[in-house]
Amino acid sequence: MPSNSDRDQERSAEVEFGLTLRRAQHVLAQRLDEALRPSGLNLGLWAVLRETAGQPGASASELARATFHTPQTLSGLLQRLDDRGLVERSSGRGRIVDNHVTDEGHRALAAVTPRAEAVIADALAAFDPQDRAVFHRLLTEFADALTRQ
């Protein structure tokens, strides 16, 4: 039978913080998927489309790093976007394929991004602007600390 100290370790403040952060990320992803679904997109597709628009000509590996996807997952997402005419892929730098958002992709992005912004704005409405700024700064510092490890 686990001792009280074992149970305390299992429910430490650090573990609870990490799990709460993961829960928030999961719920946010679900809400974004719900908002994007009517346009035939999901969070993964929208993130890749958005990043491709921000980095015209980016390679799949560059987009994978920027959108937190594995190269294999990103390849599938790019193929789905290409099949829908939202991105076009072309030979670029040697064996590297360049990716660009099409005019249709830009229109889709302009139509759905406000939906994603509304989901996030609704969640942040619980915080006053000063707290939002502190929250953003602390999350950024936390992510940076994890990156340095």
Side-chain angles (χ1 to χ4, degrees), residues 13-147:
E14 293 82 6
V15 169
E16 291 301 312
F17 176 83
L19 293 175
T20 301
L21 186 60
R22 175 65 177 107
R23 180 175 151 253
Q25 183 274 328
H26 178 75
V27 173
L28 177 60
Q30 286 179 319
R31 298 296 180 270
L32 287 168
D33 278 343
E34 290 167 7
L36 298 169
R37 190 174 299 121
S39 10
L41 295 176
N42 60 31
L43 176 56
L45 291 167
W46 174 69
V48 173
L49 187 61
R50 184 175 172 274
E51 196 62 39
T52 305
Q55 291 189 56
S59 70
S61 62
E62 291 166 333
L63 293 170
R65 282 188 298 275
T67 59
F68 313 108
H69 289 100
T70 65
Q72 296 82 3
T73 298
L74 187 93
S75 178
L77 293 170
L78 279 171
Q79 187 60 55
R80 288 173 60 190
L81 292 169
D82 188 28
D83 291 346
R84 292 188 51 194
L86 302 178
V87 299
E88 59 187 8
R89 310 181 79 203
S90 59
S91 297
R93 304 160 271 165
R95 292 178 28 205
I96 296 173
V97 175
D98 291 338
N99 297 282
H100 297 274
V101 175
T102 63
D103 290 343
E104 182 64 25
H106 283 290
R107 285 190 290 277
L109 196 55
V112 300
T113 298
R115 294 180 198 165
E117 289 170 343
V119 167
I120 298 166
D122 287 349
L124 289 174
F127 301 95
D128 67 46
Q130 183 177 353
D131 286 344
R132 272 182 250 165
V134 170
F135 185 50
H136 184 254
R137 180 181 57 78
L138 291 173
L139 276 176
T140 300
E141 289 176 14
F142 184 72
D144 290 347
L146 288 171
T147 304

